[in-house]
Amino acid sequence: MSYFMTHLHSGWHVDQAILVEEDRVVCIRFGHDHDPDCMAMDETLYSVSEKVQQFCVMYLVDITEVPDFTKMYEIYDPCTVMFFYRNKHIMIDLGTGNNNKINWPMTDKQELIDIIEVVYRGASKGRGLVVSPRDYSTRHKY
Amino acid sequence: MLPPPLPLKAKRLADDLDASTSASSSSKRVKFEKTNGGGDGEVDGDEDDGDDDVDMNGEGGVKMGFVPEGGVRPADELDEEVVNQTDLTDIEDIGEVAKLIHSKKLKEILADISRYTAAPSDMSSSSGPLEENPEYSLVVSANNMSVEVDNEILIVHKFIRDHYAPRFPELEQLIADPWTYIAAVKAIANTEDLTRCTLPNTLPPATILSINLTATVTKGRQLTEGEWRTVERAIEFAQNLRIAREQIFAYVESRMSSVAPNLSAIVGTGIAAKLLGLAGGLQAFSRQPACNIMLFGAQKRTLANSHLSAASQARHTGFIFSSPIVQSAQPEDRRRAQRAVSAKCILAARIDAGKSARDGSAGRKWLGELQKRIEKMAEPPPNKMTKALPIPQETIRKKRGGKRARKQKEAYAQTELRKLQNRMEFGKAEEEFGMDDETVGLGMVGQGSGRVRGEQVDARSKAKLSRANRIRTQMLGRSLTSQDAKSGTSTSLSFTPVQGLEIVTPSLSAAARVQQANERWFASGTFTHVRKEGSSIPGQVSK
């Protein structure tokens, strides 16, 4: 579903998107449109985007086209989703150990909505770290 | 009545039988069963005699629906499939199967039509009811006759197909429409070479092409002189029928648009005439409810007698269902459309009966509305919008409280008495009292708790009457006492649930009671603490 969503084609665009948005969470997916993980994530993001449009805006960034953030945000996974609010990176305690990003494809729409809502609620109160409603530490069932 | 049909193969006669002899022999007659049973399309409903009805139920399998009192039974339509299944190849003379064109009834009607067309009577604004006008009965019978003519055309078409088949057997598959088929047969005629004939321009080019292609491979043979003459005669019959039909239609149309212009505007003149004919006139029709008129012309079909499945039968559908406006709707919407159309039909008929909107403007207006509505029916339902979730903002909750909330809480709170009941003294049996088969323990209630005053029932937890209820019960008690105070049987005692005994003076009215009360409290003047001796305020003139 990536073709339905807004892509950001340069570092400047990404910066502007994060900067300009006044009262909405900015959700950016870093990865490749052709990546299977990204495809799954984009599917969920797109199906949710209309529902959360009042408090969240979503963008896609191709990390080959825009490599500016790879080092800064340590984007080494095939699919990474990060949240920003008023030019500030919002961390989420997902239970995975990496509080900076969601680095796996999410397939459950309601879970994603819940995370976005929690991010919005925390960020609008000025918090830099929010706790995810679900613990993803047991995501990989070994 | 005609005799019951015999199997055709059993009565096959020699081919060279003279037409006149075969006409006289009744064994060779073919009888078509009308869809509605045996009716011969009587113009007068009273002619329906007993044996006809029995016949109808016996072999028809399909019965005409309800005919109101004074109504005329509509002519019965022939079932096209029944006609198509009948084999007419053995019949040499078209006059045997198609008798209508030379029948007295049709001739009379056509003569009447030409007479009235030359000198039309005033049907639209005539004095007296429409039903008494002789021309009105002609309209109804002419309209019924048009159905008969249609039936006849079906038969003649079948006859031509059967007899022309040896020449060009594939032609009937190529052209379905009877008139086009007959025109093509007339053009091709009995030529030796089918590929070289010129077809009329009225045929669509695609059909002409397919005819020419099929003609090259057809297995047909040339007809004999006698065979071709039979076909030619049938074509002549068909053309006569067509002329008669057009004449009837033109007449009915012109008359109906003057009798019921609004109704005709909605359903068309033919169906309007059928409806009025069945109802027995415009006045009778306009008195019917809309839900009934849509069943006019509906056929009662019994599954046991007909070989068709119930699914294909359109139940509860009548003339209005067959009107072009209903048929323009999608098949799944037709019933809905039928209801809408019949509702407007009856309104139009009432306007017509009231002799207003003679130009049919109301009918045309409704027709437009109905068309719009039917178009709307075909539209897909609107797309479902995905509703955006609300912003997850935490607002400060309103805390409800105050006197009322506190009182409500207190009313249901645990009282001291209940607490005592729940408490047990160690090593002592509690007091109990029995209710039916269960006992209720009293716990420490009634035992010396060391307080001077024993525990009492908390007033706050008592059941309370609402103010409105209290007033109501008081009024009930009062009305008991104040009514009929002088009869001597009334009492000043009344029992109210609130106060128990109440003593009032029944002879006093409400005004008197107020006065009495005022006398007690304000006897010494309204402003009792203002001294009457004079004011102490400086500047006032004191006595």
Side-chain angles (χ1 to χ4, degrees):
Chain A
M1 286 296 150
S2 57
Y3 43 86
F4 280 132
M5 299 175 72
T6 321
H7 287 74
L8 301 172
H9 296 289
S10 73
W12 182 82
H13 282 106
V14 178
D15 269 345
Q16 285 303 306
I18 295 168
L19 251 162
V20 160
E21 201 60 57
E22 277 284 300
D23 41 32
R24 280 197 291 182
V25 171
V26 179
C27 169
I28 299 182
R29 190 273 285 150
F30 295 97
H32 294 107
D33 288 353
H34 52 81
D35 190 87
D37 277 359
C38 280
M39 282 184 192
M41 190 73 209
D42 290 348
E43 184 74 35
T44 322
L45 284 174
Y46 173 69
S47 55
V48 151
S49 63
E50 210 164 312
K51 284 197 145 188
V52 298
Q53 62 179 355
Q54 292 209 53
F55 51 92
C56 179
V57 60
M58 289 167 181
Y59 296 107
L60 308 185
V61 176
D62 192 313
I63 44 173
T64 324
E65 192 184 2
V66 187
D68 312 15
F69 302 96
T70 316
K71 202 155 237 176
M72 199 194 349
Y73 294 138
E74 295 168 351
I75 299 162
Y76 303 121
D77 301 290
C79 173
T80 308
V81 173
M82 298 180 78
F83 293 96
F84 301 89
Y85 186 75
R86 295 193 187 154
N87 200 21
K88 195 177 157 197
H89 173 216
I90 305 296
M91 292 194 285
I92 321 159
D93 182 3
L94 294 154
T96 52
N98 187 351
N99 289 353
N100 294 323
K101 56 196 135 189
I102 300 172
N103 52 5
W104 73 93
M106 290 183 69
T107 43
D108 194 311
K109 289 184 238 168
Q110 191 54 52
E111 271 177 25
L112 185 63
I113 292 176
D114 289 346
I115 289 178
I116 295 171
E117 282 193 350
V118 160
V119 168
Y120 177 85
R121 224 175 274 146
S124 57
K125 281 181 196 152
R127 269 173 220 145
L129 174 70
V130 294
V131 183
S132 148
R134 227 193 117 198
D135 187 9
Y136 292 94
S137 58
T138 54
R139 184 170 54 82
H140 300 290
K141 293 184 186 75
Y142 296 113
Chain B
M1 289 294 308
L2 296 168
L6 290 168
L8 280 167
K9 277 178 187 159
K11 46 183 182 148
R12 184 162 287 181
L13 294 178
D15 280 345
D16 54 348
L17 251 177
D18 194 355
S20 58
T21 53
S22 64
S24 60
S25 72
S26 64
S27 66
K28 242 203 130 191
R29 281 191 197 164
V30 175
K31 184 198 171 199
F32 288 100
E33 287 175 11
K34 311 280 171 83
T35 34
N36 310 359
D40 292 347
E42 291 93 342
V43 167
D44 197 342
D46 298 343
E47 276 176 31
D48 258 20
D49 48 354
D51 63 15
D52 195 16
D53 284 342
V54 170
D55 196 14
M56 224 164 73
N57 299 343
E59 47 185 6
V62 179
K63 286 189 287 182
M64 192 63 213
F66 165 74
V67 178
E69 207 175 318
V72 180
R73 260 198 58 185
D76 311 321
E77 278 176 43
L78 263 181
D79 196 350
E80 208 178 321
E81 278 194 23
V82 175
V83 176
N84 285 344
Q85 277 162 14
T86 328
D87 190 12
L88 294 173
T89 15
D90 307 325
I91 295 152
E92 287 289 295
D93 188 12
I94 180 71
E96 268 178 69
V97 284
K99 295 189 191 64
L100 191 72
I101 194 74
H102 294 305
S103 72
K104 214 174 106 196
K105 219 162 38 168
L106 181 64
K107 275 181 185 155
E108 271 175 9
I109 282 175
L110 289 178
D112 279 351
I113 285 175
S114 49
R115 184 156 58 84
Y116 277 116
T117 321
S121 71
D122 193 11
M123 280 168 85
S124 52
S125 58
S126 64
S127 53
L130 176 72
E131 294 76 67
E132 284 167 20
N133 193 322
E135 200 179 349
Y136 167 73
S137 72
L138 176 66
V139 171
V140 173
S141 55
N143 196 49
N144 282 345
M145 187 50 78
S146 75
V147 176
E148 303 260 308
V149 173
D150 280 345
N151 291 343
E152 203 80 357
I153 287 166
L154 268 181
I155 298 168
V156 172
H157 177 219
K158 173 67 182 161
F159 184 90
I160 296 173
R161 272 186 293 165
D162 282 349
H163 285 264
Y164 196 66
R167 173 69 281 218
F168 197 169
E170 293 86 356
L171 190 64
E172 58 179 296
Q173 264 99 51
L174 293 174
I175 308 170
D177 177 54
W179 296 120
T180 325
Y181 179 81
I182 289 166
V185 168
K186 209 179 166 195
I188 298 168
N190 196 18
T191 50
E192 215 169 315
D193 189 6
L194 281 178
T195 49
R196 251 186 252 155
C197 57
T198 47
L199 290 158
N201 310 334
T202 47
L203 281 174
T207 319
I208 293 177
L209 185 71
S210 58
I211 288 171
N212 283 334
L213 279 175
T214 325
T216 53
V217 290
T218 185
K219 290 189 292 257
R221 59 162 176 86
Q222 209 174 1
L223 299 173
T224 62
E225 192 63 24
E227 280 173 331
W228 172 242
R229 214 178 302 127
T230 313
V231 176
E232 252 185 339
R233 212 164 110 72
I235 291 173
E236 195 185 310
F237 257 69
Q239 276 164 346
N240 284 342
L241 281 170
R242 188 178 186 173
I243 291 163
R245 187 174 176 272
E246 273 162 10
Q247 214 173 335
I248 289 170
F249 266 96
Y251 174 72
V252 170
E253 196 156 314
S254 69
R255 295 285 74 193
M256 281 317 291
S257 44
S258 74
V259 172
N262 295 301
L263 182 63
S264 308
I266 295 178
V267 286
T269 49
I271 283 165
K274 276 182 188 173
L275 286 170
L276 295 196
L278 187 66
L282 186 57
Q283 292 296 333
F285 181 75
S286 64
R287 278 195 291 273
Q288 296 280 351
C291 56
N292 285 8
I293 60 153
M294 68 182 174
L295 296 179
F296 277 13
Q299 287 157 2
K300 211 183 243 174
R301 293 162 202 247
T302 43
L303 198 58
N305 297 351
S306 73
H307 54 282
L308 301 164
S309 89
S312 65
Q313 293 173 359
R315 296 190 67 220
H316 306 304
T317 57
F319 293 139
I320 289 181
F321 194 79
S322 60
S323 64
I325 171 121
V326 175
Q327 290 300 314
S328 72
Q330 296 296 310
E332 64 268 25
D333 295 327
R334 282 192 190 147
R335 273 172 198 284
R336 215 138 56 94
Q338 179 193 23
R339 278 196 292 274
V341 170
S342 64
K344 290 295 179 227
C345 270
I346 201 69
L347 293 182
R350 281 166 198 169
I351 283 185
D352 290 333
K355 302 225 190 303
S356 49
R358 299 310 300 174
D359 55 346
S361 56
R364 276 197 302 278
K365 195 187 87 190
W366 281 329
L367 182 71
E369 280 173 20
L370 286 169
Q371 276 163 344
K372 249 183 226 159
R373 213 167 140 195
I374 285 168
E375 266 171 39
K376 263 234 165 87
M377 282 178 195
E379 278 174 13
N383 276 344
K384 263 190 190 165
M385 294 281 286
T386 37
K387 208 174 167 190
L389 292 167
I391 300 170
Q393 224 154 17
E394 278 167 352
T395 49
I396 305 150
R397 288 217 185 87
K398 275 184 194 160
K399 293 190 196 86
R400 269 230 17 117
K403 193 180 170 191
R404 194 196 281 183
R406 189 169 61 240
K407 278 203 164 169
Q408 203 171 13
K409 270 185 210 158
E410 280 169 352
Y412 295 102
Q414 197 173 36
T415 59
E416 283 297 312
L417 198 65
R418 180 69 69 191
K419 271 182 198 163
L420 275 177
Q421 194 200 0
N422 291 339
R423 225 168 268 162
M424 288 275 285
E425 206 171 343
F426 188 76
K428 255 189 187 176
E430 61 172 357
E431 265 182 69
E432 285 179 339
F433 66 94
M435 288 175 81
D436 293 332
D437 56 342
E438 58 181 315
T439 52
V440 177
L442 288 176
M444 287 178 74
V445 176
Q447 295 185 4
S449 56
R451 288 193 193 172
V452 180
R453 298 183 69 183
E455 282 301 328
Q456 284 183 332
V457 178
D458 198 338
R460 289 175 300 191
S461 63
K462 273 184 184 171
K464 287 183 196 78
L465 273 179
S466 70
R467 209 178 99 86
N469 218 350
R470 204 162 55 229
I471 289 167
R472 199 172 62 86
T473 42
Q474 267 176 355
M475 292 306 284
L476 278 174
R478 193 155 298 158
S479 67
L480 253 176
T481 57
S482 62
Q483 262 175 14
D484 205 9
K486 286 171 202 120
S487 72
T489 55
S490 67
T491 173
S492 62
L493 278 179
S494 71
F495 294 93
T496 61
V498 192
Q499 291 153 306
L501 267 175
E502 190 184 15
I503 303 174
V504 290
T505 320
S507 56
L508 284 181
S509 68
R513 269 202 296 274
V514 170
Q515 207 193 346
Q516 198 185 36
N518 282 340
E519 269 167 18
R520 196 152 18 121
W521 291 107
F522 305 112
S524 51
T526 324
F527 301 105
T528 45
H529 38 267
V530 176
R531 273 180 293 158
K532 293 211 170 138
E533 285 87 65
S535 171
S536 61
I537 302 164
Q540 292 274 327
V541 183
S542 61
K543 276 187 185 175

Short mmCIF file of all heavy atoms in Angstrom, two decimals, chain A residues 50-51 53-55 113 117 120-121 125, chain B residues 385-394:
data_model
loop_
_atom_site.label_atom_id
_atom_site.label_comp_id
_atom_site.label_asym_id
_atom_site.label_seq_id
_atom_site.Cartn_x
_atom_site.Cartn_y
_atom_site.Cartn_z
N GLU A 50 -6.09 6.58 7.95
CA GLU A 50 -7.30 7.39 7.87
C GLU A 50 -7.98 7.52 9.23
O GLU A 50 -8.59 8.53 9.53
CB GLU A 50 -8.26 6.77 6.85
CG GLU A 50 -9.12 7.81 6.17
CD GLU A 50 -9.75 7.26 4.93
OE1 GLU A 50 -9.02 6.65 4.11
OE2 GLU A 50 -10.96 7.38 4.78
N LYS A 51 -7.82 6.48 10.02
CA LYS A 51 -8.48 6.51 11.34
C LYS A 51 -7.78 7.46 12.30
O LYS A 51 -8.42 8.07 13.14
CB LYS A 51 -8.48 5.10 11.94
CG LYS A 51 -9.53 4.21 11.31
CD LYS A 51 -9.77 3.02 12.19
CE LYS A 51 -11.23 2.62 12.14
NZ LYS A 51 -11.56 1.60 13.11
N GLN A 53 -5.98 10.08 11.50
CA GLN A 53 -5.54 11.30 10.83
C GLN A 53 -5.68 12.56 11.68
O GLN A 53 -5.05 13.56 11.40
CB GLN A 53 -6.32 11.47 9.53
CG GLN A 53 -7.80 11.63 9.76
CD GLN A 53 -8.54 11.80 8.45
OE1 GLN A 53 -7.95 11.89 7.42
NE2 GLN A 53 -9.84 11.84 8.52
N GLN A 54 -6.49 12.49 12.73
CA GLN A 54 -6.67 13.68 13.55
C GLN A 54 -5.50 13.94 14.48
O GLN A 54 -5.32 15.05 14.96
CB GLN A 54 -7.94 13.54 14.38
CG GLN A 54 -9.18 13.56 13.54
CD GLN A 54 -10.35 14.11 14.32
OE1 GLN A 54 -10.26 15.19 14.88
NE2 GLN A 54 -11.42 13.36 14.38
N PHE A 55 -4.72 12.90 14.76
CA PHE A 55 -3.62 13.13 15.70
C PHE A 55 -2.32 12.50 15.24
O PHE A 55 -1.35 12.49 15.99
CB PHE A 55 -3.98 12.64 17.11
CG PHE A 55 -4.50 11.21 17.15
CD1 PHE A 55 -3.63 10.17 17.35
CD2 PHE A 55 -5.84 10.95 16.99
CE1 PHE A 55 -4.09 8.88 17.39
CE2 PHE A 55 -6.31 9.65 17.03
CZ PHE A 55 -5.44 8.61 17.23
N ILE A 113 -2.70 1.42 16.47
CA ILE A 113 -3.50 2.58 16.89
C ILE A 113 -3.24 2.88 18.36
O ILE A 113 -3.06 4.03 18.76
CB ILE A 113 -5.00 2.33 16.65
CG1 ILE A 113 -5.29 2.26 15.15
CG2 ILE A 113 -5.85 3.43 17.27
CD1 ILE A 113 -6.72 1.92 14.82
N GLU A 117 -1.79 6.30 19.90
CA GLU A 117 -2.55 7.07 20.89
C GLU A 117 -1.71 7.35 22.14
O GLU A 117 -1.72 8.46 22.67
CB GLU A 117 -3.82 6.31 21.29
CG GLU A 117 -4.91 6.43 20.24
CD GLU A 117 -6.26 5.96 20.75
OE1 GLU A 117 -6.31 5.35 21.83
OE2 GLU A 117 -7.26 6.19 20.04
N TYR A 120 0.81 9.96 21.35
CA TYR A 120 0.22 11.30 21.29
C TYR A 120 -0.05 11.83 22.70
O TYR A 120 0.24 12.98 23.02
CB TYR A 120 -1.08 11.26 20.49
CG TYR A 120 -1.77 12.60 20.45
CD1 TYR A 120 -1.41 13.55 19.49
CD2 TYR A 120 -2.74 12.93 21.38
CE1 TYR A 120 -2.01 14.79 19.46
CE2 TYR A 120 -3.34 14.17 21.37
CZ TYR A 120 -2.97 15.10 20.40
OH TYR A 120 -3.57 16.32 20.38
N ARG A 121 -0.63 10.96 23.52
CA ARG A 121 -1.01 11.38 24.86
C ARG A 121 0.23 11.80 25.67
O ARG A 121 0.26 12.84 26.31
CB ARG A 121 -1.73 10.25 25.57
CG ARG A 121 -2.95 10.72 26.31
CD ARG A 121 -3.71 9.55 26.89
NE ARG A 121 -4.64 8.98 25.95
CZ ARG A 121 -4.94 7.68 25.91
NH1 ARG A 121 -4.33 6.84 26.70
NH2 ARG A 121 -5.81 7.24 25.05
N LYS A 125 1.79 15.81 26.60
CA LYS A 125 2.04 16.21 27.99
C LYS A 125 3.51 16.54 28.21
O LYS A 125 3.93 16.82 29.33
CB LYS A 125 1.65 15.07 28.92
CG LYS A 125 0.16 14.97 29.15
CD LYS A 125 -0.12 13.84 30.09
CE LYS A 125 -1.57 13.45 30.06
NZ LYS A 125 -1.73 12.04 30.39
N MET B 385 -17.92 5.55 4.95
CA MET B 385 -16.79 6.42 5.27
C MET B 385 -16.08 5.84 6.49
O MET B 385 -16.72 5.39 7.43
CB MET B 385 -17.30 7.81 5.62
CG MET B 385 -17.94 8.52 4.46
SD MET B 385 -16.72 9.21 3.36
CE MET B 385 -16.16 10.60 4.32
N THR B 386 -14.76 5.87 6.42
CA THR B 386 -14.03 5.48 7.62
C THR B 386 -13.97 6.69 8.52
O THR B 386 -13.52 7.76 8.13
CB THR B 386 -12.61 5.02 7.29
OG1 THR B 386 -12.11 5.82 6.24
CG2 THR B 386 -12.57 3.57 6.91
N LYS B 387 -14.49 6.50 9.71
CA LYS B 387 -14.58 7.62 10.62
C LYS B 387 -13.26 7.73 11.38
O LYS B 387 -12.77 6.76 11.94
CB LYS B 387 -15.72 7.37 11.58
CG LYS B 387 -16.35 8.64 12.10
CD LYS B 387 -17.56 8.29 12.94
CE LYS B 387 -18.04 9.48 13.72
NZ LYS B 387 -19.05 9.08 14.68
N ALA B 388 -12.75 8.93 11.37
CA ALA B 388 -11.49 9.14 12.08
C ALA B 388 -11.72 9.04 13.58
O ALA B 388 -12.75 9.45 14.10
CB ALA B 388 -10.92 10.50 11.73
N LEU B 389 -10.75 8.48 14.25
CA LEU B 389 -10.87 8.35 15.71
C LEU B 389 -10.73 9.73 16.36
O LEU B 389 -10.05 10.60 15.82
CB LEU B 389 -9.77 7.43 16.23
CG LEU B 389 -9.88 5.97 15.83
CD1 LEU B 389 -8.58 5.26 16.14
CD2 LEU B 389 -11.02 5.32 16.56
N PRO B 390 -11.32 9.93 17.51
CA PRO B 390 -11.16 11.22 18.19
C PRO B 390 -9.75 11.35 18.74
O PRO B 390 -9.07 10.35 18.99
CB PRO B 390 -12.19 11.16 19.31
CG PRO B 390 -12.41 9.72 19.55
CD PRO B 390 -12.21 9.04 18.25
N ILE B 391 -9.34 12.60 18.91
CA ILE B 391 -8.01 12.84 19.47
C ILE B 391 -7.98 12.31 20.90
O ILE B 391 -8.86 12.63 21.70
CB ILE B 391 -7.70 14.35 19.45
CG1 ILE B 391 -7.74 14.85 18.00
CG2 ILE B 391 -6.36 14.64 20.08
CD1 ILE B 391 -7.68 16.33 17.87
N PRO B 392 -6.99 11.48 21.25
CA PRO B 392 -6.98 10.87 22.59
C PRO B 392 -6.54 11.87 23.65
O PRO B 392 -5.49 11.72 24.26
CB PRO B 392 -6.01 9.71 22.45
CG PRO B 392 -5.10 10.11 21.36
CD PRO B 392 -5.88 10.96 20.43
N GLN B 393 -7.36 12.90 23.83
CA GLN B 393 -6.99 13.92 24.78
C GLN B 393 -7.67 13.61 26.10
O GLN B 393 -8.84 13.28 26.13
CB GLN B 393 -7.46 15.27 24.27
CG GLN B 393 -6.43 16.34 24.43
CD GLN B 393 -6.64 17.43 23.40
OE1 GLN B 393 -7.70 17.53 22.81
NE2 GLN B 393 -5.63 18.24 23.20
N GLU B 394 -6.92 13.74 27.16
CA GLU B 394 -7.53 13.49 28.46
C GLU B 394 -8.10 14.79 28.99
O GLU B 394 -7.38 15.74 29.25
CB GLU B 394 -6.49 12.92 29.42
CG GLU B 394 -6.33 11.45 29.22
CD GLU B 394 -5.11 10.91 29.91
OE1 GLU B 394 -4.30 11.72 30.41
OE2 GLU B 394 -4.95 9.69 29.93
#
